[in-house]
Amino acid sequence: MLKTALKGLSGHKLRLFLTALAIVVGVAFVSGTFVLTDTMRGAFDDLFGTLNEGIDVTVRAEASFTSNQQAGGGRDRVPESLLGTIEAVTEVGVAQGSLFGYAQFIDKDGDAVTTGGAPSIGVNWTETELNISTIRVGRGPTGPGEVAIDASTAENNEFAIGDTVPILFTGPRQDFAVVGIFGFDEVDSLLGATVAAFETTTAQQVLDAEGEFDSIEAAAASGVSQADLIAAIEAALPAGFEAIGQADLIAEQNEDVNEGFLDVFNIILLVFAGVAVFVGAFIIANTFSIIVAQRTRELALLRAVGATGAQVTWMILIETLVVAVLASAVGIIAGGLVALGLQGLLSAFGIDLPTSGLVFKPRTVIVGMAVGVIVTTLSALFPAWSASRVPPVAAMRDVEQTDTLTARRLIGGSIVTALGLVLILAGLFSNIWNELAFIGLGALILFLGVAVLSPFIAERMARIIGFPARRLFGVTGKLGRENAARRPVRTAATSGALMIGLALVTLFLILGESTKVSVGNTIDKAFSADFVVSPADGGFQPFSPQVTRDIEALPEIAVASGVRQAEFRLDGSNKFATGVEIEKAIQTTNFDFVSGDAQSLAAGGLAIHVDEADDKGFVLGQTLELEFAKTGFQNIEVTGIYEAEETFVGSYVFSTIEFDRHFTADLEVFSMANVAPGVATAEARSALEAVEVRYPNVQILNQAEFRAETESNIDQLLAIVTAMLALALLIALLGITNTLALSVFERTREIGLLRAVGMTRRQVRIMIRLEALIVSIFGAVLGISIGVVFGWLVVQATGDLGITDFALPVSTLIVVFVFAGVAGVLAAGFPARKAAKLNVLNAISYE
Amino acid sequence: MTAPTSAEKTRVAARVEDAVKIYGEGDASVRALAGISVGFDRGQFTAIMGPSGSGKSTLLHCIAGLDNLTSGSAYIGDTELGSLNDKALTLLRRDKVGFIFQAFNLIPTLNAEENIVLPLSIAGDKPDQAWYDQVVSAVGLGDRLKHRPNELSGGQQQRVAAARALVSKPEIVFADEPSGNLDSQTGAELLGFMREAVDNLDQTIVMVTHNPLDAAYADKVIFLADGRIVDDMDDPTANKVLDRLKTLEA
C-alpha cells in the first residue's frame, strides 16, 4: 500500500506541487516568525553580554519594581560619593560610576538623528577596564565641549574627528567637538541606539545629574569570589541601595526585553502566521478532497481488486504525510527568507530591529514540522475517510461528480457558526478572563461554520455574480458562470480562504478608519490648545521640557503646557500616570472636572478619569495605595475626578509637585501651547518655527495638522497589518489557482469538446478567468460582509478604549473588492493558459 | 483514384490528397495513413469502415481539422487545412464543420437547447430560426429541450449532438462511431435521423463506424485497411458490408 501511495504521488506532480505550496507558505511564516524573534533575542543576549563584560557587581538605588519604560519609570540615582565608599572596600579591584540619559544628535542638515525606535542616549566616558567601549579613532573625551560617538552613528551621519556636533538634552542644546569614535568589541552599534559619550563631570551637567551616577559597577580584586564581593559591598552600603550580581542583572535585563517586547512581538507575528496556516488548511483540505474525487475510479479499482476501505484511507494519509513532511521542511528553510522579508517590511515602515546572523533553533524546526504535518493531516482526514467510502463498482461507472448538500451539513454548519458567534460576543461584551482568546477562537470557529454553510448559497451567488458575465461574454460567460456554480462545495471552499483573509483585512480597515474618526473627534473636542508639540516624524522619543519652556518664553505665546508619562502600580497592575502643570494644563486642555478642581490637584494627590473611577469605585477624597518604582508604596489622595478624553490625558493625572516626588521621568511626550491674546496665528507660527529649528526632534502643529499627523500614524500601522495579512491573501489566491488547475484537469474532455466545436483559445481563457472572477468575488462579498459585521461589533465593544465612532472606509473597501477580483483573474492565469493549450484531439479522447 | 477535376471540386465538400499520417518516430513509428486520396460529395452520406487500426478514425480527424497530416493535404470546401493556424482552424470547425462523437458530446452545464446552438453562440450568432425549427423538430426532443444532458437518455443525448452538428448549416458533418454507446434500437433511431438530414435537409455526413447495420444507412461505404483505401461500395446493405468486411479481416 505504501508503494501504491508513493506512486500515486509521483503520478500527479502538478497537484502535489500546488498542495505543497500552500503548506510551504504557511509553515514558512511560522518558522520565519521564530527565526526573527530568536535572532533578535540572540542580538539582545549578545548586547547584554557585551554591556556587562568584566563587571561582577552593580550597585544601584533600590526600587520597588522595575518599569519596562525606557526612561524615567525607573530608580533614583546614586550619589557620586558612593563611588569612593565602594572603592574603599578591599575586595573591590576596580569600580566606576555610570551615567545614562537622553542625548540626541543633530545631523549636518539640522535634523534630529532618529533611530527608528532605539534610544538616543548620552553616557559618561570612563578610562577604567570596565568601560565596554573601545576607541577606534581619536581618543576618549577628557573635558567640557568634547564628545565621543559610536561608530555606527558616526558613519551614518558622516561625523568625523574635529567636527562640531549639536546635541539636544533635557536641558538646553549644546555644541560639542568630536574627539573620538568608538565601538563595542567588533560591533559598531548598540542595537541601533545612538550613543554620545562625555567626560564624567560634563556628562553629569548635560544629563542633569550633578554629583550623581545611575549606578556603580565593580569588579572583584584578584582572588575574591563574587559572593564575597557582594557581601563586602553590601556591608559598606548605606540604606536604600543594593548590590546585584552581574548574572542576575543580565537575567533581569533579558527578562525585561523578552517579556516586555519580544514576547509580545512574537505573539503578534504568530497570530498572523496562524491566520496564514488556517487559510492554508482550507486550501489543503479542498485540494485533497478534489484529488480524492478525481481518483474515484482508481480508488474503486483498488477496492475492486481487494483493498479494504481502511487501506484506501491509509494510502491517502500516507500520501498526505509525505507531502506534509517534505513541504514543511522546505517551509522551515524558507522561514529564513520570511524573517528577512519581515525585517525588510518593518524597516520599510521605519522600525529597525536588531539582528545578527539568522538563528535557527531546534524549536523552530520542531514547531514548523509539527504545524505543517498536523494541519495537513487534519485537513486531509475527511477526504481520506471519504476515499474509503468509494464503492468498488465506481470503477465501472462513469458519472459526473456532483456536490450534494445534506441536511447534516446545514445543521452542523449552523451549530458551528452559532458557537463561533457566541464565543465572539462573549469575548467582546462580557468580562471574561481572556477576551482575546475568546474572540480569536470564536472567529476561527465562525469562519469554519460559514465555510460549511456557504455552499448553500454558493450556487445562487455564483449565478447572481456571474449575471453580467453572461451579458458581456455570451455563452463563454455563461459557461464560466455555470462552472463556478456547478460545484458549490468546491466553490465555497475555494472562496472560503479568500473570505478569511478579506474579512480580517476589512476588520482592520474598519478599526483603523473608526480609530481615525474617533481620535479626530477627540482631538477636536479635547484640545483647546492652538498648537501641539510632539516628537518629530510621528516618532515616540520624548523630548526635553526645555522645549516647552522656550516656547512659553516667546512673547507670541500665552501659555505652554508639557505632558510627561510614567508607570506605577495599582493593585498589582501597571498603570500610566500623566504629569502636568495643572494650572497651565487647564488652559490648553478641557479637563471638565466632575468633582474636585485644578487648585486641589495642584496642591497634591491625583485626579482620576470618571470612567476609571466609576469602574474601580474610587471617589473624591479617597486615599489610594499606589506603588512607585522610586518611592515604593505611598498613600495618595484622590483630589479630582475629570471627564476629559482619556486618549490624551490618560486615566491618572498628577500635577507636577506630586509627579516629581514619585517619578524620575523628566522628558515630555507632548506639550501644548496657546497664542497670546492679540497675536495673529501666523505670527505665532513663524515664532514657533524658529523653535523647531533649534529643536529638530520636535514638530509643532496646529490642531488640524496634528489631527492629520495622528491619522497618518494610524494609517501606517494599518499598512503594516495589511501587509502581514497579504500573505494569507496570497495563500488564498494560490488556492484559486490550485482548484482551477484541478478543475481544468477534471474537465479536460469538456474543454476539448468546446474547442472541437469551435471555441477559440482566447474564449477558453476568458471562460476560466470569469470562473475565477466569480469565485473570488463570492469570497470578497462574504469576507467583506463578515469583516464589516466584525468591525461593527468590535467598535461597539471597545468604546471605552477610545474607538467610539463606527466608520466605514467605503472607498478603501471598494479598492479591496476590486483588488480581490483582479487578483482572482490573475490567479487564474496559469490554469486558463493550461486549458487553452489542451490538444483538442487528446482532450476529446481523454479517459 | 485520380485527381479530381475542377468541376468535381465544387461537388466535393471535403477531400484529402496523398494523405500520410505517421505517429511516433524511427522503429516505433506507425503509418496510420499511407497515402490516401478521397473526396466526399455534397449531399452524400459516406461511411468509413475497416478493422481496428486501419486508420479510419485518423482519416476522420485529419479531414475534420482536429489533427494534422504528416504529408499530403486536406480540404474543407476549397480551404486547405495545413496552411491554417490554430485560430483559423478553430473558426473553420466552428463555422463549416459539425461533429458527433461517440460519447461526451454535450456540455453538462448547458441544457439541450443551449447545447444545440453552442457553435453559434460561441460565434456570437443567432440561429436561422426556420432552419433551427426544422432541425429541432427532426430531433424529436419535444418538451425536453430545456433539460440538461444528465436528464436525457443516451439516445436523446446523441440526437442533441446531431442537431448541434447541423445547426450551423456546416459544409460537412463528421460522426465518429455515433451509435457506439447506444443499444441497437436507439442506434437505429439516430442513424435514421442522420439519413433524414441528408435526404431532407441536404446535409453532407461522413461517419466512421464498425457496425454494418449503421453503414447500411449510408449512400456509400469506403473500406480502409493498413492506412489505405482498399475498396468502396455504393448503396450498401448490411449483408454486403458484412461480407466485404469478412474478406478484409481474413
Side-chain angles (χ1 to χ4, degrees):
Chain A
M1 221 62 210
L2 177 67
K3 219 170 164 185
T4 320
L6 295 179
K7 284 234 171 86
L9 281 178
S10 55
H12 306 283
K13 293 203 181 59
L14 178 73
R15 3 168 136 153
L16 188 67
F17 174 73
L18 291 169
T19 316
L21 211 55
I23 307 171
V24 167
V25 176
V27 170
F29 204 153
V30 173
S31 150
T33 298
F34 281 117
V35 169
L36 183 63
T37 41
D38 286 343
T39 302
M40 289 165 62
R41 208 159 286 188
F44 280 115
D45 285 348
D46 288 352
L47 172 73
F48 296 134
T50 307
L51 284 179
N52 293 293
E53 215 175 309
I55 298 170
D56 292 320
V57 174
T58 295
V59 175
R60 62 188 185 186
E62 283 177 340
S64 189
F65 65 92
T66 307
S67 169
N68 286 329
Q69 256 191 311
Q70 195 183 82
R75 4 185 131 239
D76 233 339
R77 286 178 160 146
V78 300
E80 194 172 359
S81 59
L82 201 62
L83 179 59
T85 313
I86 287 164
E87 278 172 332
V89 174
T90 49
E91 284 83 353
V92 169
V94 58
Q96 69 170 18
S98 292
L99 253 183
F100 177 95
Y102 164 66
Q104 189 166 24
F105 293 107
I106 292 173
D107 69 16
K108 298 191 168 165
D109 301 325
D111 295 325
V113 172
T114 49
T115 54
S120 306
I121 56 181
V123 299
N124 63 321
W125 182 266
T126 61
E127 291 290 353
T128 70
E129 64 207 53
L130 297 180
N131 188 343
I132 53 161
S133 329
T134 43
I135 286 290
R136 298 258 178 94
V137 191
R139 59 175 173 81
T142 53
E146 291 184 355
V147 68
I149 301 178
D150 69 277
S152 169
T153 306
E155 190 188 337
N156 292 341
N157 298 283
E158 294 172 2
F159 292 144
I161 304 289
D163 284 355
T164 299
V165 180
I167 301 179
L168 293 164
F169 301 101
T170 54
R173 156 187 176 157
Q174 293 178 39
D175 286 349
F176 289 86
V178 179
V179 296
I181 290 167
F182 58 86
F184 311 89
D185 290 338
E186 301 90 54
V187 186
D188 286 352
S189 133
L190 287 183
L191 306 182
T194 66
V195 185
F198 309 96
E199 178 271 324
T200 296
T201 313
T202 313
Q204 287 173 330
Q205 281 163 12
V206 296
L207 301 177
D208 196 20
E210 301 268 358
E212 290 177 320
F213 290 122
D214 279 296
S215 59
I216 293 167
E217 291 87 40
S222 63
V224 177
S225 75
Q226 196 195 38
D228 290 346
L229 178 67
I230 293 175
I233 290 177
E234 271 179 347
L237 281 180
F241 301 98
E242 62 182 5
I244 178 168
Q246 225 49 24
D248 292 340
L249 186 68
I250 292 175
E252 195 178 90
Q253 289 167 336
N254 265 326
E255 197 180 313
D256 284 355
V257 170
N258 287 341
E259 284 180 6
F261 163 66
L262 278 178
D263 282 355
V264 172
F265 186 70
N266 195 19
I267 287 169
I268 291 173
L269 283 181
L270 279 179
V271 166
F272 286 111
V275 170
V277 168
F278 185 58
V279 171
F282 260 74
I283 308 296
I284 297 163
N286 197 25
T287 308
F288 272 99
S289 49
I290 297 175
I291 290 176
V292 165
Q294 289 183 356
R295 287 168 62 186
T296 301
R297 279 192 135 182
E298 175 196 334
L299 298 173
L301 192 63
L302 282 172
R303 297 275 282 116
V305 299
T308 65
Q311 276 178 313
V312 171
T313 299
W314 274 112
M315 188 187 81
I316 303 283
L317 285 179
I318 289 167
E319 285 191 25
T320 312
L321 213 60
V322 173
V323 179
V325 169
L326 291 178
S328 301
V330 175
I332 289 164
I333 294 164
L337 294 176
V338 172
L340 291 176
L342 284 173
Q343 223 176 321
L345 175 72
L346 291 171
S347 95
F349 286 107
I351 304 170
D352 285 319
L353 300 171
T355 48
S356 39
L358 292 179
V359 178
F360 271 97
K361 287 196 175 169
R363 189 257 283 106
T364 309
V365 177
I366 293 166
V367 172
M369 188 55 79
V371 166
V373 169
I374 292 171
V375 168
T376 311
T377 311
L378 282 180
S379 309
L381 220 47
F382 184 74
W385 174 78
S386 57
S388 74
R389 314 264 295 180
V390 171
V393 68
M396 273 55 93
R397 270 195 246 135
D398 199 358
V399 284
E400 203 210 343
Q401 302 275 348
T402 48
D403 291 338
T404 42
L405 301 176
T406 57
R408 204 170 51 179
R409 173 185 282 273
L410 185 64
I411 295 163
S414 305
I415 291 171
V416 172
T417 308
L419 177 66
L421 207 58
V422 166
L423 285 178
I424 292 172
L425 293 177
L428 284 175
F429 295 104
S430 71
N431 281 324
I432 282 176
W433 46 275
N434 197 342
E435 294 105 330
L436 279 180
F438 266 79
I439 295 168
L441 188 69
L444 199 91
I445 293 174
L446 182 82
F447 281 134
L448 276 178
V450 171
V452 172
L453 287 180
S454 62
F456 288 100
I457 57 165
E459 192 178 337
R460 179 160 306 177
M461 285 293 287
R463 293 238 162 79
I464 295 171
I465 295 165
F467 184 74
R470 172 101 174 92
R471 274 291 148 92
L472 290 171
F473 295 95
V475 76
T476 311
K478 158 121 189 163
L479 286 168
R481 175 180 159 197
E482 290 304 320
N483 285 340
R486 73 200 284 188
R487 303 296 298 274
V489 172
R490 187 182 296 183
T491 295
T494 310
S495 57
L498 196 61
M499 163 189 85
I500 297 167
L502 289 178
L504 295 176
V505 168
T506 305
L507 168 67
F508 283 106
L509 287 174
I510 287 176
L511 290 186
E513 186 73 10
S514 299
T515 310
K516 275 201 287 190
V517 171
S518 307
V519 169
N521 289 344
T522 308
I523 291 174
D524 293 347
K525 261 190 284 177
F527 276 28
S528 53
D530 296 319
F531 288 99
V532 180
V533 184
S534 61
D537 305 322
F540 300 101
Q541 172 68 57
F543 52 86
S544 160
Q546 187 65 35
V547 179
T548 308
R549 286 198 286 271
D550 284 10
I551 290 172
E552 194 164 31
L554 295 170
E556 293 86 354
I557 296 296
V559 61
S561 162
V563 175
R564 291 180 285 171
Q565 250 182 12
E567 260 184 320
F568 67 98
R569 282 188 186 185
L570 175 61
D571 297 333
S573 63
N574 288 26
K575 303 278 181 193
F576 275 104
T578 308
V580 293
E581 277 183 76
I582 190 66
E583 302 90 332
K584 288 181 186 172
I586 52 172
Q587 298 175 57
T588 56
T589 308
N590 298 325
F591 267 89
D592 298 329
F593 279 96
V594 178
S595 55
D597 55 26
Q599 277 86 18
S600 53
L601 181 61
L606 87 164
I608 303 179
H609 190 271
V610 64
D611 290 347
E612 180 80 3
D614 286 351
D615 196 35
K616 298 257 160 53
F618 298 148
V619 293
L620 190 74
Q622 186 177 350
T623 300
L624 305 178
E625 190 183 53
L626 309 184
E627 186 186 2
F628 301 97
K630 179 176 159 185
T631 54
F633 287 94
Q634 300 285 332
N635 289 323
I636 312 269
E637 191 189 336
V638 179
T639 52
I641 301 216
Y642 59 88
E643 249 181 334
E645 290 292 343
E646 282 170 295
T647 326
F648 292 96
V649 295
S651 301
Y652 297 90
V653 175
F654 294 73
S655 192
T656 312
I657 186 165
E658 194 79 73
F659 192 87
D660 287 344
R661 210 174 280 156
H662 305 291
F663 296 104
T664 55
D666 49 7
L667 298 183
E668 291 175 354
V669 288
F670 67 96
S671 74
M672 290 171 283
N674 282 350
V675 178
V679 176
T681 313
E683 214 176 304
R685 151 128 304 177
S686 56
L688 287 170
E689 271 163 10
V691 176
E692 266 182 328
V693 172
R694 254 185 296 145
Y695 298 101
N697 57 327
V698 301
Q699 56 190 10
I700 303 175
L701 308 171
N702 65 26
Q703 246 186 57
E705 289 163 342
F706 182 70
R707 183 177 170 154
E709 172 80 20
T710 310
E711 287 175 349
S712 93
N713 287 347
I714 295 169
D715 280 340
Q716 199 181 45
L717 200 64
L718 207 57
I720 296 179
V721 171
T722 312
M724 296 288 211
L725 288 173
L727 205 64
L729 292 179
L730 184 75
I731 296 179
L733 293 173
L734 213 65
I736 292 182
T737 306
N738 203 350
T739 311
L740 278 179
L742 292 169
S743 295
V744 163
F745 176 75
E746 197 172 281
R747 297 180 202 144
T748 300
R749 271 184 115 134
E750 203 176 307
I751 294 165
L753 176 66
L754 286 169
R755 294 275 291 127
V757 302
M759 185 174 264
T760 61
R761 287 186 168 159
R762 184 164 168 270
Q763 284 174 312
V764 172
R765 284 196 298 268
I766 291 173
M767 178 179 77
I768 307 283
R769 291 202 167 118
L770 285 174
E771 181 182 352
L773 182 66
I774 292 167
V775 170
S776 48
I777 287 180
F778 178 49
V781 168
L782 278 185
I784 293 176
S785 310
I786 293 178
V788 168
V789 174
F790 267 19
W792 186 80
L793 285 175
V794 172
V795 170
Q796 298 314 305
T798 52
D800 52 341
L801 291 180
I803 310 179
T804 46
D805 305 73
F806 175 76
L808 210 54
V810 176
S811 57
T812 318
L813 289 181
I814 290 174
V815 170
V816 169
F817 185 78
V818 171
F819 162 83
V822 171
V825 172
L826 290 179
F830 163 72
R833 274 197 304 279
K834 195 167 126 80
K837 280 194 187 138
L838 281 176
N839 178 299
V840 181
L841 195 60
N842 291 346
I844 54 177
S845 47
Y846 164 85
E847 283 283 345
Chain B
M1 298 255 154
T2 53
T5 66
S6 65
E8 277 176 315
K9 269 186 194 169
T10 55
R11 279 201 300 113
V12 171
R15 63 195 165 92
V16 288
E17 284 172 13
D18 305 322
V20 173
K21 178 70 182 179
I22 299 170
Y23 290 111
E25 277 172 24
D27 290 346
S29 70
V30 176
R31 224 173 161 78
L33 298 179
I36 287 181
S37 296
V38 66
F40 300 100
D41 291 350
R42 284 185 199 283
Q44 274 225 327
F45 187 171
T46 310
I48 303 175
M49 299 200 74
S52 293
S54 62
K56 56 187 190 297
S57 284
T58 305
L59 178 62
L60 188 82
H61 292 153
C62 289
I63 316 178
L66 291 172
D67 204 351
N68 49 354
L69 291 167
T70 308
S71 73
S73 42
Y75 296 85
I76 302 277
D78 290 330
T79 312
E80 208 273 304
L81 304 187
S83 61
L84 302 180
N85 62 15
D86 180 81
K87 169 128 195 207
L89 260 184
T90 305
L91 298 184
L92 178 103
R93 286 198 303 266
R94 189 182 79 189
D95 300 333
K96 303 264 172 77
V97 179
F99 286 100
I100 308 168
F101 299 108
Q102 180 175 352
F104 288 99
N105 259 306
L106 306 180
I107 300 298
T109 48
L110 301 180
N111 65 27
E113 187 179 3
E114 289 165 331
N115 265 294
I116 292 173
V117 298
L118 185 61
L120 293 171
S121 4
I122 287 173
D125 293 337
K126 287 260 177 290
D128 171 344
Q129 195 59 43
W131 175 253
Y132 173 80
D133 290 343
Q134 218 174 340
V135 169
V136 165
S137 70
V139 175
L141 222 49
D143 58 352
R144 304 191 73 79
L145 270 177
K146 297 286 179 195
H147 286 57
R148 290 205 172 177
N150 60 6
E151 298 161 321
L152 301 175
S153 70
Q156 286 170 329
Q157 290 186 23
Q158 288 302 79
R159 293 211 302 275
V160 169
R164 182 200 55 218
L166 297 172
V167 77
S168 56
K169 290 190 193 166
E171 296 258 329
I172 188 164
V173 172
F174 294 103
D176 192 355
E177 304 274 11
S179 66
N181 278 10
L182 304 179
D183 60 61
S184 55
Q185 172 67 31
T186 43
E189 279 171 28
L190 176 70
L191 267 295
F193 170 69
M194 289 166 69
R195 183 69 244 174
E196 272 177 51
V198 174
D199 292 342
N200 303 338
L201 305 176
D202 199 25
Q203 293 296 296
T204 309
I205 298 179
V206 177
M207 167 179 72
V208 164
T209 183
H210 64 269
N211 187 344
L213 288 170
D214 288 0
Y217 285 88
D219 297 311
K220 179 180 182 177
V221 180
I222 293 170
F223 294 94
L224 260 66
D226 299 328
R228 293 175 197 283
I229 294 177
V230 291
D231 198 0
D232 59 64
M233 178 189 292
D234 289 329
D235 303 320
T237 66
N239 280 333
K240 274 163 70 185
V241 170
L242 196 59
D243 289 344
R244 186 69 193 87
L245 279 178
K246 278 180 189 155
T247 63
L248 273 181
E249 278 164 12

